[in-house]
């Protein structure tokens, strides 16, 4: 239950445009257990902080865990297109 509370806090932080705070909550959640959308949440926060390489790595981890995760796939594609890396991959 603690991990879910940390995920919820991270989502609130992202909604408040506080990605740095969201990452702290997500790191705490990661220490608790393997949570389904954890890497996607990290990817969103990292992208908002301008850490594109790390955001792409988090997307890749999410997609390895769940290849059909539409949001992670879309974020990955958007990051690749925005930064001119392998568009269409």
């Amino acid at each position: 239950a603690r991990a879910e509370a940390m995920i919820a806090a991270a989502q609130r932080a992202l909604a408040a445009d506080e990605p740095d705070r969201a990452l702290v909550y997500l790191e705490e959640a990661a220490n608790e257990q393997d949570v389904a959308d954890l890497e996607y949440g990290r990817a969103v926060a990292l992208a908002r902080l301008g850490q594109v390489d790390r955001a792409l790595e988090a997307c890749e981890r999410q997609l390895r865990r769940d290849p059909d995760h539409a949001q992670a796939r879309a974020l990955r594609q958007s990051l690749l297109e925005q930064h001119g890396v392998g568009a269409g991959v």
Side-chain angles (χ1 to χ4, degrees):
R2 179 168 157 68
E4 288 80 10
M6 292 293 103
I7 296 288
Q11 290 171 337
R12 288 191 300 276
L14 285 173
D17 199 25
E18 297 176 338
D20 50 343
R21 197 175 77 181
L23 277 176
V24 171
Y25 289 129
L26 291 166
E27 293 297 329
E28 287 185 40
N31 291 332
E32 294 293 319
Q33 66 183 25
D34 187 29
V35 179
D37 290 335
L38 179 65
E39 292 299 337
Y40 172 70
R42 280 186 180 151
V44 171
L46 289 163
R48 290 187 185 177
L49 288 169
Q51 297 181 27
V52 176
D53 290 341
R54 290 182 65 203
L56 284 167
E57 290 169 5
C59 283
E60 292 298 332
R61 286 190 299 270
Q62 181 67 55
L63 290 169
R64 278 195 299 274
R65 186 174 296 154
D66 178 4
D68 297 322
H69 195 287
Q71 292 172 303
R73 188 169 297 284
L75 177 59
R76 177 182 173 272
Q77 186 63 35
S78 175
L79 290 169
L80 289 171
E81 288 173 0
Q82 287 175 20
H83 298 280
V85 180
V89 171

mmCIF file with all atom_site columns, all heavy atoms in Angstrom, residues 44-57:
data_model
loop_
_atom_site.group_PDB
_atom_site.id
_atom_site.type_symbol
_atom_site.label_atom_id
_atom_site.label_alt_id
_atom_site.label_comp_id
_atom_site.label_asym_id
_atom_site.label_entity_id
_atom_site.label_seq_id
_atom_site.pdbx_PDB_ins_code
_atom_site.Cartn_x
_atom_site.Cartn_y
_atom_site.Cartn_z
_atom_site.occupancy
_atom_site.B_iso_or_equiv
_atom_site.pdbx_formal_charge
_atom_site.auth_seq_id
_atom_site.auth_comp_id
_atom_site.auth_asym_id
_atom_site.auth_atom_id
_atom_site.pdbx_PDB_model_num
ATOM 1   N N   . VAL A 1 44 ? 7.882  10.221 -17.714 1.00 0.00 ? 44 VAL A N   1
ATOM 2   C CA  . VAL A 1 44 ? 7.164  11.501 -17.807 1.00 0.00 ? 44 VAL A CA  1
ATOM 3   C C   . VAL A 1 44 ? 7.901  12.574 -17.016 1.00 0.00 ? 44 VAL A C   1
ATOM 4   O O   . VAL A 1 44 ? 8.158  13.680 -17.517 1.00 0.00 ? 44 VAL A O   1
ATOM 5   C CB  . VAL A 1 44 ? 5.711  11.359 -17.307 1.00 0.00 ? 44 VAL A CB  1
ATOM 6   C CG1 . VAL A 1 44 ? 5.037  12.715 -17.188 1.00 0.00 ? 44 VAL A CG1 1
ATOM 7   C CG2 . VAL A 1 44 ? 4.921  10.456 -18.237 1.00 0.00 ? 44 VAL A CG2 1
ATOM 8   N N   . ALA A 1 45 ? 8.260  12.263 -15.771 1.00 0.00 ? 45 ALA A N   1
ATOM 9   C CA  . ALA A 1 45 ? 8.944  13.239 -14.928 1.00 0.00 ? 45 ALA A CA  1
ATOM 10  C C   . ALA A 1 45 ? 10.294 13.637 -15.532 1.00 0.00 ? 45 ALA A C   1
ATOM 11  O O   . ALA A 1 45 ? 10.630 14.827 -15.597 1.00 0.00 ? 45 ALA A O   1
ATOM 12  C CB  . ALA A 1 45 ? 9.133  12.682 -13.521 1.00 0.00 ? 45 ALA A CB  1
ATOM 13  N N   . LEU A 1 46 ? 11.055 12.659 -15.996 1.00 0.00 ? 46 LEU A N   1
ATOM 14  C CA  . LEU A 1 46 ? 12.362 12.954 -16.585 1.00 0.00 ? 46 LEU A CA  1
ATOM 15  C C   . LEU A 1 46 ? 12.228 13.783 -17.861 1.00 0.00 ? 46 LEU A C   1
ATOM 16  O O   . LEU A 1 46 ? 13.017 14.709 -18.090 1.00 0.00 ? 46 LEU A O   1
ATOM 17  C CB  . LEU A 1 46 ? 13.106 11.648 -16.867 1.00 0.00 ? 46 LEU A CB  1
ATOM 18  C CG  . LEU A 1 46 ? 13.596 10.916 -15.618 1.00 0.00 ? 46 LEU A CG  1
ATOM 19  C CD1 . LEU A 1 46 ? 13.948 9.473  -15.944 1.00 0.00 ? 46 LEU A CD1 1
ATOM 20  C CD2 . LEU A 1 46 ? 14.779 11.652 -14.996 1.00 0.00 ? 46 LEU A CD2 1
ATOM 21  N N   . ALA A 1 47 ? 11.233 13.471 -18.667 1.00 0.00 ? 47 ALA A N   1
ATOM 22  C CA  . ALA A 1 47 ? 11.014 14.250 -19.897 1.00 0.00 ? 47 ALA A CA  1
ATOM 23  C C   . ALA A 1 47 ? 10.711 15.700 -19.551 1.00 0.00 ? 47 ALA A C   1
ATOM 24  O O   . ALA A 1 47 ? 11.227 16.628 -20.185 1.00 0.00 ? 47 ALA A O   1
ATOM 25  C CB  . ALA A 1 47 ? 9.880  13.636 -20.713 1.00 0.00 ? 47 ALA A CB  1
ATOM 26  N N   . ARG A 1 48 ? 9.884  15.911 -18.540 1.00 0.00 ? 48 ARG A N   1
ATOM 27  C CA  . ARG A 1 48 ? 9.545  17.279 -18.137 1.00 0.00 ? 48 ARG A CA  1
ATOM 28  C C   . ARG A 1 48 ? 10.746 18.023 -17.577 1.00 0.00 ? 48 ARG A C   1
ATOM 29  O O   . ARG A 1 48 ? 10.799 19.248 -17.638 1.00 0.00 ? 48 ARG A O   1
ATOM 30  C CB  . ARG A 1 48 ? 8.412  17.274 -17.117 1.00 0.00 ? 48 ARG A CB  1
ATOM 31  C CG  . ARG A 1 48 ? 7.100  16.873 -17.747 1.00 0.00 ? 48 ARG A CG  1
ATOM 32  C CD  . ARG A 1 48 ? 5.965  17.030 -16.779 1.00 0.00 ? 48 ARG A CD  1
ATOM 33  N NE  . ARG A 1 48 ? 4.738  16.520 -17.360 1.00 0.00 ? 48 ARG A NE  1
ATOM 34  C CZ  . ARG A 1 48 ? 3.596  16.476 -16.694 1.00 0.00 ? 48 ARG A CZ  1
ATOM 35  N NH1 . ARG A 1 48 ? 3.519  16.886 -15.442 1.00 0.00 ? 48 ARG A NH1 1
ATOM 36  N NH2 . ARG A 1 48 ? 2.514  16.001 -17.278 1.00 0.00 ? 48 ARG A NH2 1
ATOM 37  N N   . LEU A 1 49 ? 11.700 17.285 -17.035 1.00 0.00 ? 49 LEU A N   1
ATOM 38  C CA  . LEU A 1 49 ? 12.932 17.904 -16.537 1.00 0.00 ? 49 LEU A CA  1
ATOM 39  C C   . LEU A 1 49 ? 13.959 18.099 -17.649 1.00 0.00 ? 49 LEU A C   1
ATOM 40  O O   . LEU A 1 49 ? 15.053 18.597 -17.396 1.00 0.00 ? 49 LEU A O   1
ATOM 41  C CB  . LEU A 1 49 ? 13.530 17.043 -15.420 1.00 0.00 ? 49 LEU A CB  1
ATOM 42  C CG  . LEU A 1 49 ? 12.766 17.071 -14.099 1.00 0.00 ? 49 LEU A CG  1
ATOM 43  C CD1 . LEU A 1 49 ? 13.279 15.992 -13.165 1.00 0.00 ? 49 LEU A CD1 1
ATOM 44  C CD2 . LEU A 1 49 ? 12.889 18.451 -13.455 1.00 0.00 ? 49 LEU A CD2 1
ATOM 45  N N   . GLY A 1 50 ? 13.611 17.674 -18.870 1.00 0.00 ? 50 GLY A N   1
ATOM 46  C CA  . GLY A 1 50 ? 14.523 17.825 -19.986 1.00 0.00 ? 50 GLY A CA  1
ATOM 47  C C   . GLY A 1 50 ? 15.601 16.764 -20.055 1.00 0.00 ? 50 GLY A C   1
ATOM 48  O O   . GLY A 1 50 ? 16.555 16.882 -20.816 1.00 0.00 ? 50 GLY A O   1
ATOM 49  N N   . GLN A 1 51 ? 15.457 15.703 -19.274 1.00 0.00 ? 51 GLN A N   1
ATOM 50  C CA  . GLN A 1 51 ? 16.437 14.616 -19.257 1.00 0.00 ? 51 GLN A CA  1
ATOM 51  C C   . GLN A 1 51 ? 15.980 13.529 -20.232 1.00 0.00 ? 51 GLN A C   1
ATOM 52  O O   . GLN A 1 51 ? 15.546 12.444 -19.842 1.00 0.00 ? 51 GLN A O   1
ATOM 53  C CB  . GLN A 1 51 ? 16.587 14.084 -17.829 1.00 0.00 ? 51 GLN A CB  1
ATOM 54  C CG  . GLN A 1 51 ? 17.133 15.129 -16.885 1.00 0.00 ? 51 GLN A CG  1
ATOM 55  C CD  . GLN A 1 51 ? 17.315 14.613 -15.480 1.00 0.00 ? 51 GLN A CD  1
ATOM 56  O OE1 . GLN A 1 51 ? 17.520 13.421 -15.268 1.00 0.00 ? 51 GLN A OE1 1
ATOM 57  N NE2 . GLN A 1 51 ? 17.240 15.508 -14.511 1.00 0.00 ? 51 GLN A NE2 1
ATOM 58  N N   . VAL A 1 52 ? 16.078 13.852 -21.502 1.00 0.00 ? 52 VAL A N   1
ATOM 59  C CA  . VAL A 1 52 ? 15.515 13.026 -22.565 1.00 0.00 ? 52 VAL A CA  1
ATOM 60  C C   . VAL A 1 52 ? 16.127 11.625 -22.591 1.00 0.00 ? 52 VAL A C   1
ATOM 61  O O   . VAL A 1 52 ? 15.401 10.635 -22.715 1.00 0.00 ? 52 VAL A O   1
ATOM 62  C CB  . VAL A 1 52 ? 15.670 13.727 -23.933 1.00 0.00 ? 52 VAL A CB  1
ATOM 63  C CG1 . VAL A 1 52 ? 15.180 12.838 -25.056 1.00 0.00 ? 52 VAL A CG1 1
ATOM 64  C CG2 . VAL A 1 52 ? 14.915 15.054 -23.918 1.00 0.00 ? 52 VAL A CG2 1
ATOM 65  N N   . ASP A 1 53 ? 17.442 11.527 -22.480 1.00 0.00 ? 53 ASP A N   1
ATOM 66  C CA  . ASP A 1 53 ? 18.078 10.203 -22.535 1.00 0.00 ? 53 ASP A CA  1
ATOM 67  C C   . ASP A 1 53 ? 17.564 9.300  -21.424 1.00 0.00 ? 53 ASP A C   1
ATOM 68  O O   . ASP A 1 53 ? 17.243 8.133  -21.650 1.00 0.00 ? 53 ASP A O   1
ATOM 69  C CB  . ASP A 1 53 ? 19.601 10.319 -22.449 1.00 0.00 ? 53 ASP A CB  1
ATOM 70  C CG  . ASP A 1 53 ? 20.209 10.919 -23.712 1.00 0.00 ? 53 ASP A CG  1
ATOM 71  O OD1 . ASP A 1 53 ? 19.528 10.901 -24.760 1.00 0.00 ? 53 ASP A OD1 1
ATOM 72  O OD2 . ASP A 1 53 ? 21.350 11.399 -23.643 1.00 0.00 ? 53 ASP A OD2 1
ATOM 73  N N   . ARG A 1 54 ? 17.483 9.851  -20.219 1.00 0.00 ? 54 ARG A N   1
ATOM 74  C CA  . ARG A 1 54 ? 16.986 9.059  -19.087 1.00 0.00 ? 54 ARG A CA  1
ATOM 75  C C   . ARG A 1 54 ? 15.497 8.734  -19.265 1.00 0.00 ? 54 ARG A C   1
ATOM 76  O O   . ARG A 1 54 ? 15.049 7.652  -18.891 1.00 0.00 ? 54 ARG A O   1
ATOM 77  C CB  . ARG A 1 54 ? 17.230 9.789  -17.772 1.00 0.00 ? 54 ARG A CB  1
ATOM 78  C CG  . ARG A 1 54 ? 18.718 9.836  -17.413 1.00 0.00 ? 54 ARG A CG  1
ATOM 79  C CD  . ARG A 1 54 ? 18.976 10.508 -16.090 1.00 0.00 ? 54 ARG A CD  1
ATOM 80  N NE  . ARG A 1 54 ? 18.389 9.716  -14.999 1.00 0.00 ? 54 ARG A NE  1
ATOM 81  C CZ  . ARG A 1 54 ? 18.058 10.230 -13.824 1.00 0.00 ? 54 ARG A CZ  1
ATOM 82  N NH1 . ARG A 1 54 ? 18.236 11.502 -13.565 1.00 0.00 ? 54 ARG A NH1 1
ATOM 83  N NH2 . ARG A 1 54 ? 17.531 9.458  -12.888 1.00 0.00 ? 54 ARG A NH2 1
ATOM 84  N N   . ALA A 1 55 ? 14.733 9.671  -19.830 1.00 0.00 ? 55 ALA A N   1
ATOM 85  C CA  . ALA A 1 55 ? 13.308 9.428  -20.077 1.00 0.00 ? 55 ALA A CA  1
ATOM 86  C C   . ALA A 1 55 ? 13.133 8.296  -21.084 1.00 0.00 ? 55 ALA A C   1
ATOM 87  O O   . ALA A 1 55 ? 12.278 7.419  -20.905 1.00 0.00 ? 55 ALA A O   1
ATOM 88  C CB  . ALA A 1 55 ? 12.629 10.701 -20.584 1.00 0.00 ? 55 ALA A CB  1
ATOM 89  N N   . LEU A 1 56 ? 13.955 8.286  -22.124 1.00 0.00 ? 56 LEU A N   1
ATOM 90  C CA  . LEU A 1 56 ? 13.883 7.222  -23.119 1.00 0.00 ? 56 LEU A CA  1
ATOM 91  C C   . LEU A 1 56 ? 14.249 5.870  -22.499 1.00 0.00 ? 56 LEU A C   1
ATOM 92  O O   . LEU A 1 56 ? 13.608 4.858  -22.797 1.00 0.00 ? 56 LEU A O   1
ATOM 93  C CB  . LEU A 1 56 ? 14.804 7.526  -24.304 1.00 0.00 ? 56 LEU A CB  1
ATOM 94  C CG  . LEU A 1 56 ? 14.283 8.590  -25.268 1.00 0.00 ? 56 LEU A CG  1
ATOM 95  C CD1 . LEU A 1 56 ? 15.389 9.039  -26.216 1.00 0.00 ? 56 LEU A CD1 1
ATOM 96  C CD2 . LEU A 1 56 ? 13.076 8.079  -26.033 1.00 0.00 ? 56 LEU A CD2 1
ATOM 97  N N   . GLU A 1 57 ? 15.234 5.862  -21.629 1.00 0.00 ? 57 GLU A N   1
ATOM 98  C CA  . GLU A 1 57 ? 15.617 4.611  -20.949 1.00 0.00 ? 57 GLU A CA  1
ATOM 99  C C   . GLU A 1 57 ? 14.462 4.092  -20.100 1.00 0.00 ? 57 GLU A C   1
ATOM 100 O O   . GLU A 1 57 ? 14.190 2.883  -20.089 1.00 0.00 ? 57 GLU A O   1
ATOM 101 C CB  . GLU A 1 57 ? 16.849 4.850  -20.072 1.00 0.00 ? 57 GLU A CB  1
ATOM 102 C CG  . GLU A 1 57 ? 18.117 5.093  -20.855 1.00 0.00 ? 57 GLU A CG  1
ATOM 103 C CD  . GLU A 1 57 ? 19.270 5.590  -19.990 1.00 0.00 ? 57 GLU A CD  1
ATOM 104 O OE1 . GLU A 1 57 ? 19.114 5.660  -18.748 1.00 0.00 ? 57 GLU A OE1 1
ATOM 105 O OE2 . GLU A 1 57 ? 20.314 5.925  -20.562 1.00 0.00 ? 57 GLU A OE2 1
#
